[in-house]
């Protein structure tokens, strides 16, 4: 099922959310009674979509849909989306966002950082003057994230392995795929992933999922290692890490999770898990030679996608503000690095 089948609907979701200021959940530490706390003051570019990281990745989704499907029957009218992006992705707005990140070096680390890099990569790949304009405006924020990553990685003795925003493997994978990192920071990311994960084996996959995961700890780690190990070495690593894949034994990350309440903001994270797993399973399958293990991954990816995709367009803000991004990753993975 191609992303083009959903381009119009997903673009509508992205456009509605990045311009919706309220409700808003700012992750902002108030240090003075004199501070102005309106979302548009704190984040002139990324004020919408409930929280900062969702706003960033819904901008990414909109740019990606315009780049790949704008002007086609799937997404014929690009004017409103381009106009909003022109209003949001300006040098002044992005300078303010970069300053906010510099002043708060742990804000949105590393998940929001990685999505900002992904957005910049999508803008840079966008043809014509608009893409150059947006990418140019993002340059200070990209440089800030690069510096913050470089400063944080030597201190990150241990990875965050749980299935929520701070997950180290997912964010650093996204950062590598962007191609926006400096050579030194790219190298540092790869070295840190290897230091964290190269010796891992027998992942506790039976612990998955946790009650509010939207990422799979095991599959996120495996997908990160796919990016930093040679193909033959990776296959051997995966056999050690998830031996159930080769043996045919039960492997919970391949089983579609039960989502008992789609409208619950935390239980509803499991809808995202179906889609993020679908993307990771598809990528892992593509990295393996033909055989039973690859077939199991492909089958599991299809099952997860079928379970999660119908939830994307429910008209419920708890999912509307973020879920389409992960559907896009599952339907049509694109890398820039």
């Amino acid at each position: 099922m191609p992303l083009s089948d959903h381009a119009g609907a997903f673009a509508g979701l992205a456009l509605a959310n990045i311009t919706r200021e309220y409700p808003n959940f700012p992750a902002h530490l108030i240090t003075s009674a004199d501070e102005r706390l309106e979302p548009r003051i704190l984040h002139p570019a990324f004020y919408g979509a409930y929280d900062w990281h969702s706003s960033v990745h819904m901008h990414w989704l909109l740019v990606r849909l315009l780049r790949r499907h704008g002007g086609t029957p799937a997404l014929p009218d690009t004017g409103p989306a381009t106009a909003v992006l022109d209003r949001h992705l300006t040098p002044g707005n992005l300078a303010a966002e970069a300053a906010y990140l510099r002043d708060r070096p742990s804000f949105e680390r590393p998940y929001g950082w990685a999505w900002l890099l992904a957005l910049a990569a999508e803008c840079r790949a966008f043809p014509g003057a608009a893409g150059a304009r947006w990418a140019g405006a993002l340059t200070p924020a990209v440089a800030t994230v690069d510096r913050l990553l470089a400063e944080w990685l030597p201190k990150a003795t241990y990875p965050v392995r749980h299935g929520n925003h701070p997950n180290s493997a997912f964010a650093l994978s996204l950062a590598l795929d962007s191609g926006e990192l400096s050579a030194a920071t790219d190298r540092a990311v790869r070295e840190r992933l290897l230091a964290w994960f190269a010796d891992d084996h027998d992942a506790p996959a039976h612990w998955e999922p946790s009650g509010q995961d939207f990422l799979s700890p095991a599959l996120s780690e495996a997908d990160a290692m796919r990016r930093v190990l040679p193909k033959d070495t990776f296959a051997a690593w995966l056999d050690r890490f998830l031996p159930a894949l080769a043996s045919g034994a039960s492997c919970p990350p391949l089983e579609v999770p039960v989502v008992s309440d789609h409208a619950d903001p935390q239980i509803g994270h499991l809808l995202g898990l179906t889609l993020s797993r679908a993307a990771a399973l598809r990528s892992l399958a593509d990295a393996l030679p033909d055989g039973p293990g690859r077939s199991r991954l492909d089958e599991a990816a299809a099952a997860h996608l079928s379970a999660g995709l119908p939830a994307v367009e429910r008209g419920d803000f708890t999912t509307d503000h973020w879920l389409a991004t992960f559907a896009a990753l599952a339907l049509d993975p694109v890398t820039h690095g």
Side-chain angles (χ1 to χ4, degrees):
M1 182 182 303
L3 181 57
S4 59
D5 287 355
H6 304 272
F10 286 7
L13 284 172
L15 188 58
N17 277 284
I18 65 174
T19 55
R20 179 183 288 132
E21 189 169 4
Y22 298 101
N24 201 291
F25 189 73
H28 178 78
L29 178 65
I30 302 171
T31 58
S32 166
D34 299 326
E35 287 188 60
R36 292 191 62 186
L37 303 178
E38 301 97 316
R40 287 177 189 259
I41 298 297
L42 295 175
H43 298 296
F46 306 124
Y47 61 83
Y50 187 69
D51 49 33
W52 193 86
H53 55 258
S54 297
S55 183
V56 174
H57 68 63
M58 291 298 264
H59 278 79
W60 169 88
L61 175 62
L62 189 58
V63 175
R64 181 172 179 175
L65 290 168
L66 289 175
R67 181 171 74 85
R68 296 179 69 78
H69 304 294
T72 72
L75 189 58
D77 185 6
T78 62
T82 301
V84 168
L85 291 166
D86 275 337
R87 289 201 303 271
H88 287 191
L89 303 182
T90 67
N93 287 349
L94 272 302
E97 298 285 3
Y100 191 96
L101 293 172
R102 285 195 301 273
D103 292 343
R104 298 162 182 83
S106 63
F107 175 73
E108 291 282 1
R109 183 181 74 194
Y111 182 79
W113 294 356
W115 276 116
L116 188 138
L117 295 173
L119 170 61
E122 206 61 48
C123 291
R124 200 170 304 283
F126 195 93
R133 190 165 60 246
W134 303 332
L138 279 157
T139 297
V142 169
T144 297
V145 167
D146 188 277
R147 193 193 78 190
L148 290 172
L149 262 175
E151 292 172 352
W152 169 64
L153 286 169
K155 300 182 289 186
T157 307
Y158 309 107
V160 175
R161 296 178 182 268
H162 64 64
N164 266 275
H165 305 89
N167 182 281
S168 303
F170 178 83
L172 294 190
S173 295
L174 201 59
L176 287 178
D177 284 352
S178 76
E180 293 291 315
L181 296 174
S182 66
T185 305
D186 183 283
R187 183 167 58 252
V189 167
R190 295 173 185 276
E191 290 171 353
R192 181 53 64 191
L193 288 171
L194 289 168
W196 283 336
F197 302 135
D199 295 331
D200 280 2
H201 56 87
D202 299 305
H206 58 286
W207 290 356
E208 296 192 30
S210 186
Q212 56 190 42
D213 282 352
F214 70 92
L215 300 169
S216 162
L219 297 180
S220 294
E221 177 176 338
D223 208 25
M225 293 304 285
R226 171 184 67 81
R227 292 165 167 86
V228 297
L229 289 174
K231 197 165 186 176
D232 56 343
T233 306
F234 170 70
W237 179 91
L238 188 62
D239 282 345
R240 296 192 301 272
F241 184 64
L242 286 174
L245 284 180
S247 71
S250 173
C251 187
L254 274 61
E255 299 166 6
V256 176
V258 174
V259 188
S260 62
D261 185 353
H262 288 201
D264 184 284
Q266 299 304 324
I267 296 172
H269 270 183
L270 294 164
L271 295 167
L273 180 64
T274 65
L275 296 169
S276 68
R277 277 184 177 178
L281 289 162
R282 179 179 174 185
S283 295
L284 292 170
D286 288 346
L288 295 179
D290 290 338
R294 178 170 180 155
S295 296
R296 286 189 76 190
L297 293 173
D298 278 330
E299 291 167 5
H304 278 79
L305 183 60
S306 294
L309 198 55
V312 175
E313 301 170 46
R314 293 178 56 244
D316 183 339
F317 185 69
T318 58
T319 51
D320 281 359
H321 79 273
W322 68 284
L323 200 56
T325 302
F326 285 86
L329 289 177
L331 288 166
D332 191 19
V334 175
T335 61
H336 300 279

